[in-house]
Amino acid sequence: MSALPFASYSSPDLEKQFAVDPSNHQYQTTDGATTGPSPHVLNAGQVDKDKPASPKKLENGEFTALGSLRAQLTGLQDDINKFLTDRMEHAKRKKARLEEDKERDTRINKEISDLLDGGDDDNNDVGRKQ
């Protein structure tokens, strides 16, 4: 049996390994979930002219070695694409949260500064005799 393809992801905060499970249907097809045109494009009536052919099979119905490798790599690519998309979405949410926190802190600091500078707008001088 030949070795299965794998991939590694490394960043300062994370190490991740991606491995093929040949019994999983995802690794037995070249019709990847994250490859090809987006559902939006397909729903607009476009046809996927670049869709890959199914993996080649032998007369006994088993995949050829290259057909199997193509299918496994398509599944592996799906795993990586999903992982990276999740990481990007997480980073976007984190950035938005940090920006909201910064805006809130700026607003609070301004309010505190205004109060300390006597700019509380209470109009305390109204009605006082001078």
Side-chain angles (χ1 to χ4, degrees):
M1 181 172 174
S2 62
L4 297 173
F6 66 93
S8 299
Y9 173 84
S10 178
S11 71
D13 66 324
L14 181 67
E15 298 279 332
K16 177 135 175 89
Q17 301 295 316
F18 299 91
V20 168
D21 174 5
S23 65
N24 185 327
H25 174 72
Q26 171 183 339
Y27 304 102
Q28 299 172 7
T29 180
T30 55
D31 189 19
T34 63
T35 56
S38 70
H40 176 75
V41 170
L42 292 174
N43 290 337
Q46 296 296 319
V47 177
D48 186 2
K49 297 177 184 176
D50 297 322
K51 185 175 180 173
S54 296
K56 299 272 190 240
K57 292 186 178 184
L58 300 169
E59 289 180 13
N60 65 5
E62 292 183 20
F63 292 125
T64 63
L66 287 179
S68 179
L69 179 61
R70 283 184 59 227
Q72 292 169 357
L73 289 175
T74 299
L76 196 59
Q77 182 180 1
D78 276 347
D79 291 342
I80 295 166
N81 288 348
K82 289 174 190 171
F83 170 76
L84 292 175
T85 299
D86 289 346
R87 294 265 304 172
M88 288 187 297
E89 291 298 322
H90 176 74
K92 278 196 241 179
R93 287 190 303 272
K94 184 176 179 181
K95 181 179 179 184
R97 201 169 44 249
L98 289 173
E99 288 174 359
E100 288 173 5
D101 290 349
K102 184 178 178 182
E103 289 173 9
R104 186 193 72 233
D105 290 348
T106 300
R107 187 180 65 249
I108 289 171
N109 287 336
K110 182 180 180 329
E111 290 176 13
I112 290 171
S113 178
D114 287 348
L115 287 171
L116 293 176
D117 289 342
D120 58 3
D121 294 332
D122 283 344
N123 296 325
N124 291 335
D125 292 335
V126 174
R128 266 203 226 166
K129 293 182 181 177
Q130 294 187 354

mmCIF file of all heavy atoms in Angstrom, residues 110-127:
data_model
loop_
_atom_site.group_PDB
_atom_site.id
_atom_site.type_symbol
_atom_site.label_atom_id
_atom_site.label_comp_id
_atom_site.label_asym_id
_atom_site.label_seq_id
_atom_site.Cartn_x
_atom_site.Cartn_y
_atom_site.Cartn_z
ATOM 1 N N LYS A 110 -13.469 59.808 27.031
ATOM 2 C CA LYS A 110 -13.904 61.162 26.709
ATOM 3 C C LYS A 110 -14.926 61.647 27.744
ATOM 4 O O LYS A 110 -14.861 62.777 28.215
ATOM 5 C CB LYS A 110 -14.501 61.232 25.307
ATOM 6 C CG LYS A 110 -14.919 62.649 24.909
ATOM 7 C CD LYS A 110 -15.507 62.680 23.532
ATOM 8 C CE LYS A 110 -15.935 64.037 23.079
ATOM 9 N NZ LYS A 110 -16.397 64.983 24.041
ATOM 10 N N GLU A 111 -15.854 60.768 28.095
ATOM 11 C CA GLU A 111 -16.851 61.141 29.097
ATOM 12 C C GLU A 111 -16.194 61.440 30.443
ATOM 13 O O GLU A 111 -16.546 62.420 31.109
ATOM 14 C CB GLU A 111 -17.891 60.028 29.249
ATOM 15 C CG GLU A 111 -18.808 59.885 28.059
ATOM 16 C CD GLU A 111 -19.765 58.702 28.189
ATOM 17 O OE1 GLU A 111 -19.895 58.140 29.294
ATOM 18 O OE2 GLU A 111 -20.373 58.339 27.170
ATOM 19 N N ILE A 112 -15.230 60.621 30.834
ATOM 20 C CA ILE A 112 -14.515 60.848 32.095
ATOM 21 C C ILE A 112 -13.755 62.167 32.030
ATOM 22 O O ILE A 112 -13.800 62.970 32.960
ATOM 23 C CB ILE A 112 -13.574 59.663 32.403
ATOM 24 C CG1 ILE A 112 -14.390 58.429 32.763
ATOM 25 C CG2 ILE A 112 -12.594 60.017 33.520
ATOM 26 C CD1 ILE A 112 -13.580 57.161 32.872
ATOM 27 N N SER A 113 -13.074 62.391 30.918
ATOM 28 C CA SER A 113 -12.307 63.626 30.750
ATOM 29 C C SER A 113 -13.224 64.844 30.812
ATOM 30 O O SER A 113 -12.907 65.846 31.455
ATOM 31 C CB SER A 113 -11.552 63.583 29.426
ATOM 32 O OG SER A 113 -10.840 64.769 29.218
ATOM 33 N N ASP A 114 -14.369 64.767 30.136
ATOM 34 C CA ASP A 114 -15.324 65.876 30.152
ATOM 35 C C ASP A 114 -15.817 66.150 31.577
ATOM 36 O O ASP A 114 -15.944 67.305 31.992
ATOM 37 C CB ASP A 114 -16.517 65.589 29.246
ATOM 38 C CG ASP A 114 -16.172 65.675 27.769
ATOM 39 O OD1 ASP A 114 -15.072 66.179 27.440
ATOM 40 O OD2 ASP A 114 -16.995 65.228 26.942
ATOM 41 N N LEU A 115 -16.098 65.079 32.331
ATOM 42 C CA LEU A 115 -16.569 65.255 33.707
ATOM 43 C C LEU A 115 -15.489 65.877 34.593
ATOM 44 O O LEU A 115 -15.756 66.756 35.400
ATOM 45 C CB LEU A 115 -17.017 63.918 34.298
ATOM 46 C CG LEU A 115 -18.337 63.375 33.773
ATOM 47 C CD1 LEU A 115 -18.549 61.956 34.260
ATOM 48 C CD2 LEU A 115 -19.484 64.272 34.204
ATOM 49 N N LEU A 116 -14.260 65.415 34.424
ATOM 50 C CA LEU A 116 -13.161 65.941 35.231
ATOM 51 C C LEU A 116 -12.824 67.375 34.867
ATOM 52 O O LEU A 116 -12.342 68.131 35.706
ATOM 53 C CB LEU A 116 -11.922 65.052 35.088
ATOM 54 C CG LEU A 116 -12.055 63.646 35.674
ATOM 55 C CD1 LEU A 116 -10.805 62.833 35.380
ATOM 56 C CD2 LEU A 116 -12.311 63.710 37.172
ATOM 57 N N ASP A 117 -13.079 67.759 33.626
ATOM 58 C CA ASP A 117 -12.804 69.128 33.182
ATOM 59 C C ASP A 117 -13.964 70.067 33.490
ATOM 60 O O ASP A 117 -13.945 71.233 33.107
ATOM 61 C CB ASP A 117 -12.530 69.158 31.672
ATOM 62 C CG ASP A 117 -11.198 68.527 31.325
ATOM 63 O OD1 ASP A 117 -10.353 68.385 32.235
ATOM 64 O OD2 ASP A 117 -11.008 68.183 30.150
ATOM 65 N N GLY A 118 -14.996 69.571 34.132
ATOM 66 C CA GLY A 118 -16.133 70.406 34.482
ATOM 67 C C GLY A 118 -17.130 70.535 33.355
ATOM 68 O O GLY A 118 -18.048 71.336 33.425
ATOM 69 N N GLY A 119 -16.991 69.769 32.343
ATOM 70 C CA GLY A 119 -17.900 69.855 31.206
ATOM 71 C C GLY A 119 -19.030 68.861 31.314
ATOM 72 O O GLY A 119 -19.320 68.139 30.387
ATOM 73 N N ASP A 120 -19.676 68.831 32.477
ATOM 74 C CA ASP A 120 -20.744 67.852 32.674
ATOM 75 C C ASP A 120 -22.097 68.335 32.185
ATOM 76 O O ASP A 120 -23.088 67.622 32.273
ATOM 77 C CB ASP A 120 -20.832 67.424 34.139
ATOM 78 C CG ASP A 120 -21.061 68.601 35.082
ATOM 79 O OD1 ASP A 120 -21.212 69.728 34.590
ATOM 80 O OD2 ASP A 120 -21.084 68.369 36.301
ATOM 81 N N ASP A 121 -22.141 69.552 31.681
ATOM 82 C CA ASP A 121 -23.354 70.106 31.086
ATOM 83 C C ASP A 121 -24.551 70.081 32.022
ATOM 84 O O ASP A 121 -25.681 69.946 31.594
ATOM 85 C CB ASP A 121 -23.721 69.365 29.789
ATOM 86 C CG ASP A 121 -22.698 69.590 28.703
ATOM 87 O OD1 ASP A 121 -22.037 70.657 28.724
ATOM 88 O OD2 ASP A 121 -22.555 68.716 27.836
ATOM 89 N N ASP A 122 -24.312 70.221 33.323
ATOM 90 C CA ASP A 122 -25.428 70.240 34.263
ATOM 91 C C ASP A 122 -26.015 71.631 34.426
ATOM 92 O O ASP A 122 -27.028 71.802 35.080
ATOM 93 C CB ASP A 122 -24.988 69.731 35.647
ATOM 94 C CG ASP A 122 -24.854 68.224 35.680
ATOM 95 O OD1 ASP A 122 -25.383 67.570 34.767
ATOM 96 O OD2 ASP A 122 -24.222 67.707 36.625
ATOM 97 N N ASN A 123 -25.362 72.632 33.851
ATOM 98 C CA ASN A 123 -25.821 74.012 33.973
ATOM 99 C C ASN A 123 -26.008 74.409 35.437
ATOM 100 O O ASN A 123 -27.036 74.938 35.833
ATOM 101 C CB ASN A 123 -27.127 74.240 33.185
ATOM 102 C CG ASN A 123 -26.918 74.056 31.704
ATOM 103 O OD1 ASN A 123 -25.853 74.388 31.180
ATOM 104 N ND2 ASN A 123 -27.922 73.517 31.029
ATOM 105 N N ASN A 124 -25.024 74.122 36.259
ATOM 106 C CA ASN A 124 -25.089 74.428 37.687
ATOM 107 C C ASN A 124 -25.125 75.924 37.969
ATOM 108 O O ASN A 124 -25.536 76.338 39.035
ATOM 109 C CB ASN A 124 -23.887 73.818 38.425
ATOM 110 C CG ASN A 124 -23.979 72.302 38.466
ATOM 111 O OD1 ASN A 124 -25.077 71.772 38.376
ATOM 112 N ND2 ASN A 124 -22.850 71.645 38.617
ATOM 113 N N ASP A 125 -24.703 76.751 37.032
ATOM 114 C CA ASP A 125 -24.655 78.180 37.260
ATOM 115 C C ASP A 125 -26.035 78.828 37.075
ATOM 116 O O ASP A 125 -26.247 79.968 37.463
ATOM 117 C CB ASP A 125 -23.655 78.849 36.309
ATOM 118 C CG ASP A 125 -22.222 78.442 36.657
ATOM 119 O OD1 ASP A 125 -21.984 78.079 37.827
ATOM 120 O OD2 ASP A 125 -21.363 78.506 35.756
ATOM 121 N N VAL A 126 -26.970 78.122 36.486
ATOM 122 C CA VAL A 126 -28.290 78.703 36.233
ATOM 123 C C VAL A 126 -29.019 78.902 37.569
ATOM 124 O O VAL A 126 -29.090 78.005 38.387
ATOM 125 C CB VAL A 126 -29.115 77.766 35.304
ATOM 126 C CG1 VAL A 126 -30.534 78.289 35.152
ATOM 127 C CG2 VAL A 126 -28.433 77.610 33.976
ATOM 128 N N GLY A 127 -29.518 80.094 37.774
ATOM 129 C CA GLY A 127 -30.280 80.384 38.968
ATOM 130 C C GLY A 127 -29.401 80.828 40.135
ATOM 131 O O GLY A 127 -29.914 81.164 41.169
#
